[in-house]
Amino acid sequence: MLTDGLFKNHRLMLYYKGDISALTLFAQNGDGSVCFPNPLPVLSSALEPEAFTEAKISLHPSVLVNAINQLLQLDNDLLQAESGFSEQIDTPGGIVTVHMARFMLLDPPHKLLQSRACQLKTLPELRGRPPAEMELLRRAYVKVMES
C-alpha cells in the first residue's frame, strides 16, 4: 500500500494562504491529524534543527505531493511543494521527515476537502493537537509568514 512504503518515514502538511488577505488555513485529516496521509505515531516529538540527521537517501517533496494527489484524487496542479520546509520528528519507529505543500487556488478549497473527509482550519482551531503536531504547526506558520 502507498502509505506503508513512501509515507513510512515521510508526511506532508497541506495549507492554504490567501494572496490578498494572508488568511492561512491548514488541512486536517478525518482522523484529526494535520499530517498526510497518516498521523504521527504516539510519543512523537519535534527535533530541534541542530539535532536533524542527514538522510542517506533524500526524497523530493514533489514525490510526496504527487502521491497525495493520487490518494486524495486531486488535480495535479492543485498543490505545490513548499521549498525550504523540512522538519524532522523523532518517533518510536525512527525519524519522520515532514514537508509542506500549498493549495494554489484563489479561494480556500473547503468543499473539495470536505468531500474527502478533510477540512481546513485556522491555527487557533487546531489547538489541542498532540505536542509534535503543535510544534510542526508553529514552525509551518513561521515559514508561511516569511514567504
Side-chain angles (χ1 to χ4, degrees):
M1 180 179 213
L2 174 72
T3 57
D4 291 340
L6 183 61
F7 288 101
K8 180 177 186 252
N9 296 316
H10 295 88
R11 300 291 189 283
L12 198 58
M13 292 176 64
L14 311 178
Y15 80 99
Y16 166 84
K17 180 181 176 190
D19 288 330
I20 296 171
S21 68
L23 170 67
T24 303
L25 303 167
F26 291 92
Q28 189 177 35
N29 260 327
D31 62 18
S33 178
V34 295
C35 293
F36 285 77
N38 304 313
L40 294 170
V42 176
L43 303 178
S44 296
S45 62
L47 290 174
E48 292 302 321
E50 56 272 7
F52 285 6
T53 60
E54 280 294 317
K56 292 181 178 112
I57 300 172
S58 63
L59 182 67
H60 195 277
S62 62
V63 172
L64 301 172
V65 169
N66 290 338
I68 290 295
N69 283 340
Q70 289 178 357
L71 195 65
L72 296 178
Q73 300 176 347
L74 301 174
D75 292 339
N76 288 334
D77 60 350
L78 200 60
L79 290 169
Q80 180 179 343
E82 182 72 44
S83 63
F85 186 88
S86 177
E87 297 291 335
Q88 291 186 355
I89 304 297
D90 187 16
T91 76
I95 301 296
V96 171
T97 303
V98 180
H99 299 279
M100 198 163 55
R102 180 180 179 179
F103 285 101
M104 303 306 293
L105 297 165
L106 290 176
D107 296 313
H110 289 291
K111 288 182 181 177
L112 175 68
L113 287 177
Q114 287 170 349
S115 72
R116 278 124 177 112
C118 302
Q119 50 189 321
L120 288 170
K121 291 190 171 183
T122 63
L123 205 51
E125 291 173 320
L126 291 166
R127 282 189 205 132
R129 298 297 316 139
E133 282 196 16
M134 291 306 298
E135 180 59 20
L136 274 173
L137 285 164
R138 185 192 69 76
R139 293 178 188 183
Y141 189 75
V142 167
K143 173 66 178 166
V144 168
M145 289 300 112
E146 289 174 350
S147 57

